Amino acid sequence: MAATESPEDAYTAAPFVPGRGGLPALRRAAAGCRGCPLHRDATQTVFGAGKAGARLMLVGEQPGDQEDRQGEPFVGPAGKLLDRALAEAGIDPGDAYVTNAVKHFKFTRSEPRKRRIHKAPTLREAAACGPWLAAELAVVEPELIVVLGATAGRALLGSSFRVTRVRGTVLEERIHGRPQRLVPTVHPSAVLRADDREAAFRGLVADLNIAADALS
Ligand code: URA
């Protein structure tokens, strides 16, 4: 650690989050976030996409390679699969606010100039990014959050979160000081990696059907 760097415990986006101005102000400020070291290697901040007042918020882990290049969440292979699953569950992705627990792409390279390989963020990196998610929640005020996978689950619900235990159920919890309903499910990337992709996809759609019912 360089002498001027903060210890990992002290990482936080909090000083970068503006207190007013809605989503446009948040997005602008997030572009300059230096709350943890992940900004250094990423191309850009990938902030949430969608409208304030969206009834549904989808929370993923962190941007992937494509998202990092394009600056939008869920535009790569996982996003395409998620869009198909949402459509099967009768949810219009255009009606949802889509974001991630961590706003910068974390990756490793096996060799210089080789493909960038996704690396899961630590709990502390997710906690450091928490003030952005809290600010998005305060502005969007979604009726329901779909929690996509373990990192988003731990960021929102704590380190004891286990997606296999609670997936496809409607939870009622206090999140960043607000009463909130949530439906956890697997991350779409886990579906892409599954041995039986079709069964995993069906499982994701079944959980999203629970979310669609909870919204109706
Ligand atoms: N995976 C995520 O969790 N989020 C994205 O935006 C893309 C892939």
Side-chain angles (χ1 to χ4, degrees):
M1 185 172 78
T4 53
E5 252 170 47
S6 307
E8 209 182 326
D9 273 341
Y11 295 162
T12 177
F16 298 89
V17 180
R20 47 198 278 190
L23 289 174
L26 288 175
R27 188 169 292 114
R28 268 194 308 277
C33 186
R34 304 285 179 265
C36 84
L38 294 185
H39 69 89
R40 288 197 211 123
D41 295 329
T43 308
Q44 57 192 315
T45 305
V46 179
F47 201 68
K51 296 191 193 104
R55 295 179 67 207
L56 179 66
M57 181 183 277
L58 299 159
V59 182
E61 181 192 76
Q62 63 166 349
D65 179 78
Q66 287 300 316
E67 290 78 13
D68 174 71
R69 291 171 201 274
Q70 297 183 41
E72 290 284 324
F74 283 106
V75 290
K80 300 215 164 29
L81 184 137
L82 179 61
D83 282 351
R84 271 205 295 127
L86 288 168
E88 289 220 12
I91 298 171
D92 181 349
D95 290 342
Y97 183 89
V98 184
T99 193
N100 285 300
V102 171
K103 308 292 195 256
H104 283 110
F105 179 36
K106 182 177 178 182
F107 60 92
T108 54
R109 284 184 210 266
S110 47
E111 287 170 49
R113 284 203 283 279
K114 278 271 159 74
R115 203 165 63 84
R116 304 186 299 175
I117 301 160
H118 160 277
K119 192 162 181 221
T122 63
L123 201 52
R124 282 180 180 153
E125 286 159 347
C129 222
W132 291 119
L133 197 49
E136 288 172 296
L137 277 167
V139 173
V140 177
E141 296 191 309
E143 285 172 40
L144 186 74
I145 300 176
V146 169
V147 181
L148 298 167
T151 300
R154 288 192 210 112
L156 286 163
L157 294 156
S159 58
S160 61
F161 175 84
R162 296 287 175 273
V163 70
T164 46
R165 278 194 214 141
V166 286
R167 65 176 294 180
T169 62
V170 183
L171 306 177
E172 299 198 5
E173 300 286 343
R174 276 196 93 75
I175 306 290
H176 291 298
R178 292 166 30 96
Q180 184 68 62
R181 289 190 308 154
L182 311 97
V183 174
T185 187
V186 292
H187 193 283
S189 298
V191 176
L192 290 171
R193 287 193 307 267
D195 292 334
D196 187 344
R197 247 200 225 193
E198 186 50 34
F201 183 74
R202 289 284 132 227
L204 173 61
V205 172
D207 294 346
L208 292 175
N209 276 325
I210 306 283
D213 286 350
L215 273 178
S216 61

